[in-house]
Amino acid sequence: MKRFWDDRASTFESVAFESIANLEQDKNNLELKIDLETQKVFEWLGDVSGKTILDLGAGVGQWTFRFVARSASKVTAVEYSAPLAEIGEKEAIRQGAGNVEFLVSPAEKFVASQPYDIVFISGLFVYLNDDQAEELMRNLPKACGPSTILLLRDGTGIASRHEINDRLSEHLQSNYSATYRTREQYVDMFEAAGFNLLRDENMFEEGNPLNKYPETRLRIYQFKPDA
């Protein structure tokens, strides 16, 4: 998967900035996806101005720069693909965003030195095996204080855990691997690490063209650390 994401960085000259890590090739679908997701994420997060934010699995920083645009005080963007992080760093320079820090690291290896107001995990767990997911969950509480909001946006298996192992994706014209855990597995995993689920739902309503595959849905989850 690291090779897959490093290769995605090489598409930067031919695809939109948002499309590199979003994996949405269709222009109209990409615009719809960005609009609907941005609306929902910020409805759930509320006002992020003045907040410190950890963006785990940041890609090129597509969400990082949305946080910056809404006056976050500092965003730490953790991405394990150096070519993707390099694109993000160049974008930060282009925007004059001095409050963005890109760190090249596997998300599960990142250990925060202080708690953040918001921890945002987007499209990350589908690319982690179980050992990596467990390591991330062991380190995650170090990034959270009592009032931290943790938002998870990730692919979810509907009826059962759904795995794709090195399969050719016609959509991406590349081999692709992913693990879609069920809603119950996500909730159990976070509760075991000391987080309470506040709410969760599908990102897109049924019938939306962005729900492309019958086995999975993109879901959003909001957690808080145990009191």
Side-chain angles (χ1 to χ4, degrees):
M1 281 312 302
K2 186 174 187 302
R3 184 170 63 250
F4 171 84
W5 287 112
D6 287 350
D7 288 345
R8 285 295 295 176
S10 68
T11 69
F12 184 41
E13 298 300 325
S14 59
V15 302
F17 176 83
E18 284 278 0
S19 182
I20 300 170
N22 223 316
L23 304 186
E24 180 53 68
Q25 308 295 93
D26 182 89
K27 181 177 182 292
N28 292 330
N29 277 350
L30 178 61
E31 291 177 355
L32 177 64
K33 192 168 190 277
I34 292 170
D35 288 346
L36 292 178
E37 289 197 53
T38 301
Q39 180 180 343
K40 181 163 287 190
V41 164
F42 285 100
E43 280 177 357
W44 284 36
L45 285 180
D47 184 8
V48 303
S49 61
K51 301 292 181 67
T52 59
I53 301 177
L54 173 63
D55 185 359
L56 278 177
V60 295
Q62 60 273 19
W63 283 103
T64 285
F65 293 112
R66 291 175 199 153
F67 299 139
V68 169
R70 288 163 175 80
S71 301
S73 67
K74 180 180 179 181
V75 184
T76 302
V78 177
E79 172 53 47
Y80 83 143
S81 169
L84 291 183
E86 182 179 350
I87 292 171
E89 287 172 338
K90 289 179 179 177
E91 180 64 16
I93 293 171
R94 189 191 72 80
Q95 292 193 20
N99 57 341
V100 172
E101 179 184 21
F102 274 86
L103 298 178
V104 178
S105 170
E108 70 273 15
K109 301 291 185 185
F110 175 76
V111 180
S113 57
Q114 75 282 319
Y116 291 82
D117 297 315
I118 296 170
V119 175
F120 186 70
I121 305 175
S122 176
L124 174 62
F125 278 97
V126 290
Y127 303 118
L128 300 181
N129 63 34
D130 288 339
D131 288 342
Q132 291 168 327
E134 289 174 7
E135 184 174 5
L136 189 151
M137 296 310 300
R138 287 195 297 271
N139 289 326
L140 192 56
K142 299 180 179 67
C144 301
S147 60
T148 297
I149 295 173
L150 192 153
L151 210 64
L152 170 67
R153 166 203 172 275
D154 230 315
T156 302
I158 296 175
S160 62
R161 175 175 168 134
H162 180 65
E163 298 190 16
I164 300 173
N165 295 311
D166 200 29
R167 184 191 306 167
L168 177 64
S169 167
E170 299 273 345
H171 175 62
L172 299 171
Q173 288 299 297
S174 177
N175 280 26
Y176 183 76
S177 298
T179 299
Y180 297 86
R181 295 168 176 85
T182 65
R183 173 192 180 276
E184 290 73 21
Q185 287 173 327
Y186 279 125
V187 173
D188 289 347
M189 187 165 54
F190 275 81
E191 285 186 347
F195 295 90
N196 292 318
L197 177 69
L198 298 182
R199 57 176 170 165
D200 66 295
E201 64 184 37
N202 287 347
M203 184 67 78
F204 312 117
E205 294 181 357
E206 289 304 312
N208 190 297
L210 296 171
N211 293 324
K212 296 181 179 180
Y213 307 107
E215 304 91 350
T216 64
R217 289 290 181 268
L218 181 62
R219 286 185 68 82
I220 182 170
Y221 306 78
Q222 187 175 6
F223 295 94
K224 288 278 286 184
D226 284 341

